[in-house]
Amino acid sequence: MITVKEIFSKQELKQFVKFPFKLYKDSKYWVPPIINQELETFNKKKNPIFKDADAQFFLAYKDNEIVGRIAAIVNWLEVNDQQQKKMRFGWFDFIDDQEVSKALLAEVEAIGRSHNLEYMEGPVGFSNLDKVGVMTEGFDSIAPMITWYNHPYYVNHYKTLGYRIEKEYSESKFPFSNVKPEAFKKAQDLIKRRYQLKALKFTKTSEVMPYADKMFDLFNESYAQLSSFVAITDIQKAYFKKKFISFVNPEYIKFVVDKDDELVGFAIVMPAFAKALQKAKGKLFPFGFRHILKAKKHSEDVIFYLIGIHPSYQNKGVHSVIFNEYYETFTEKGIQTCFRTPELEDNEAIHKIWKHFDPVVYKRRKTFRKDLN
């Protein structure tokens, strides 16, 4: 018999966070989160997302043993401001037992109906900077730290329970040797002169911070047209600065500004932390921090995390300025492989940016939907 329980205490939330450690203990490809950081994400006093969102957390038990988990999320900015009557769910993990996944999703469905929402979609997080999608291809490669990994059987559970595909994402990679500087070297000189632009270089995180709020504003502007985009609020900016920017080598953050020092383009690249996080086993101390610091400074693989161009500068070649900056940095650092985070299959603009590098899709993921009315 399956029992599902809503959880509230810190001890129960810790069990929620640690359940995948057991589920994936034999996997070479699953990457554990830092337990304390994950707990902070769910802490309603620390994570400012809870000013605009509600979340409930559930664990499923079978024979007094935890066999599944799910987070039920309502982002009220999405529901009220965008009129997207959507019930979100994420952090959805379960053993290969249809009764477990069914019981957990039923809890989310009940919450969605109680709020008169029209449909539920997942797996997704609170916002666009959270992890997204259930993996459908690429099970034999390590998961980047900014994505979820899952067993192949997950997809069958969604389909059997009557869920249909809502969005499709792909993740690609290319060797740095594919990058031919002549594709953007001349163009970036011309574009900088034509539009009076300049690229900013950073060596310290403190140099990035004065521009960080502008970067999040530009992120909101450049991604606003994408389906399901929810803007980052002012109070969330401070939280994300603390959460993400300290992880990034400042040399991997590139900004392009106009003659008035206004930001027109940005990109954030992260070192590949996956193997370091596997060694850390969910803990920064005593040794996890050392593994992560080493990866931050010496990783030969990088992940393009975010890239954004101001709407008025899109299709004007600003990305060539950014790529030229990265080419110089990556050459100096000896980078071998570049990875891209999940990108919507229908985001034609982003796919055009990368086409010159001959990327190969190595993972695919999807979100699934169920109507509630």
Side-chain angles (χ1 to χ4, degrees):
M1 182 180 169
I2 310 302
T3 306
V4 176
K5 176 185 173 186
E6 185 176 0
I7 59 167
F8 301 95
S9 71
K10 187 173 181 179
Q11 182 186 354
E12 289 171 325
L13 274 172
K14 202 165 189 177
Q15 291 175 323
F16 183 95
V17 169
K18 292 180 80 171
F19 170 66
F21 284 75
K22 178 184 172 186
L23 190 64
Y24 294 100
K25 68 179 189 297
D26 298 322
S27 172
K28 294 186 291 184
Y29 308 114
W30 179 72
V31 175
I34 298 298
I35 293 167
N36 283 342
Q37 284 187 353
E38 196 88 324
L39 285 170
E40 191 169 291
T41 299
F42 302 140
N43 188 322
K44 297 179 181 183
K45 293 178 181 175
K46 291 188 176 181
N47 188 344
I49 193 69
F50 287 106
K51 293 189 181 300
D52 300 298
D54 290 321
Q56 293 167 252
F57 305 98
F58 298 89
L59 287 172
Y61 298 83
K62 185 178 183 179
D63 300 327
N64 293 318
E65 191 176 331
I66 296 171
V67 290
R69 68 171 189 171
I70 199 166
I73 302 159
V74 183
N75 186 315
W76 293 110
L77 291 177
E78 184 173 53
V79 173
N80 296 325
D81 295 1
Q82 298 186 0
Q83 296 299 301
Q84 288 271 342
K85 305 297 185 184
K86 177 166 84 179
M87 182 76 215
R88 292 172 167 245
F89 65 90
W91 290 272
F92 183 32
D93 293 289
F94 46 89
I95 64 169
D96 193 8
D97 181 333
Q98 196 81 62
E99 294 305 312
V100 175
S101 54
K102 182 180 179 181
L104 286 165
L105 286 167
E107 296 290 343
V108 181
E109 190 173 333
I111 295 166
R113 290 185 192 282
S114 73
H115 290 303
N116 296 313
L117 300 179
E118 293 173 0
Y119 68 101
M120 52 196 277
E121 182 191 357
V124 294
F126 296 103
S127 75
N128 300 81
L129 289 180
D130 287 316
K131 299 175 183 181
V132 66
V134 62
M135 258 178 58
T136 56
E137 292 177 30
F139 300 102
D140 58 351
S141 56
I142 196 166
M145 67 173 281
I146 46 183
T147 62
W148 281 309
Y149 184 83
N150 55 267
H151 289 305
Y153 63 75
Y154 279 37
V155 182
N156 295 330
H157 284 240
Y158 284 103
K159 291 178 178 175
T160 304
L161 291 168
Y163 285 72
R164 59 184 169 88
I165 295 165
E166 176 70 354
K167 297 185 186 71
E168 300 183 79
Y169 299 82
S170 60
E171 295 170 58
S172 60
K173 63 180 179 178
F174 55 91
F176 181 56
S177 57
N178 277 15
V179 180
K180 307 301 181 210
E182 55 271 18
F184 47 78
K185 201 84 179 170
K186 284 184 181 176
Q188 66 97 31
D189 280 333
L190 180 67
I191 284 147
K192 282 196 284 192
R193 287 199 304 271
R194 179 180 293 169
Y195 300 112
Q196 296 179 271
L197 305 178
K198 66 177 179 179
L200 302 182
K201 301 176 192 286
F202 304 109
T203 56
K204 299 175 185 173
T205 302
S206 59
E207 295 169 345
V208 178
M209 287 305 182
Y211 291 91
D213 283 351
K214 290 181 180 180
M215 182 193 72
F216 285 120
D217 289 339
L218 182 51
F219 172 77
N220 283 342
E221 285 186 84
S222 57
Y223 283 80
Q225 80 282 5
L226 289 181
S227 57
S228 79
F229 181 77
V230 182
I232 298 169
T233 63
D234 287 345
I235 197 165
Q236 286 173 261
K237 290 174 191 173
Y239 176 75
F240 284 126
K241 278 190 283 189
K242 179 184 171 189
K243 185 176 181 180
F244 289 118
I245 293 180
S246 61
F247 263 98
V248 185
N249 184 331
E251 294 169 90
Y252 291 170
I253 297 177
K254 306 296 183 184
F255 289 170
V256 179
V257 296
D258 65 13
K259 64 182 187 331
D260 300 316
D261 209 35
E262 291 299 319
L263 194 61
V264 301
F266 77 92
I268 296 179
V269 165
M270 300 182 80
F273 285 113
K275 290 177 182 174
L277 286 166
Q278 285 182 329
K279 291 175 184 173
K281 297 178 180 176
K283 296 177 182 176
L284 283 177
F285 301 102
F287 305 115
F289 195 75
R290 192 184 303 169
H291 295 305
I292 289 167
L293 201 59
K294 185 179 178 183
K296 181 177 177 179
K297 290 183 177 179
H298 304 296
S299 176
E300 292 184 341
D301 299 335
V302 293
I303 301 168
F304 277 84
Y305 180 52
L306 284 176
I307 185 165
I309 308 292
H310 193 281
S312 62
Y313 281 89
Q314 287 173 8
N315 301 315
K316 290 182 178 177
V318 175
H319 62 274
S320 65
V321 180
I322 292 170
F323 286 151
N324 186 64
E325 293 299 310
Y326 278 122
Y327 182 79
E328 294 176 0
T329 302
F330 291 173
T331 301
E332 182 187 325
K333 298 284 184 186
I335 296 304
Q336 298 294 309
T337 311
C338 301
F339 294 83
R340 288 157 59 196
T341 53
E343 291 164 345
L344 281 163
E345 291 278 17
D346 60 4
N347 187 351
E348 292 297 331
I350 200 75
H351 298 310
K352 283 179 185 173
I353 285 177
W354 299 103
K355 65 180 181 181
H356 298 298
F357 306 145
D358 295 325
V360 175
V361 173
Y362 76 106
K363 285 184 188 292
R364 294 187 193 276
R365 56 185 68 240
K366 296 174 172 57
T367 61
F368 283 84
R369 167 185 177 135
K370 182 177 183 181
D371 292 335
L372 297 176
N373 50 17

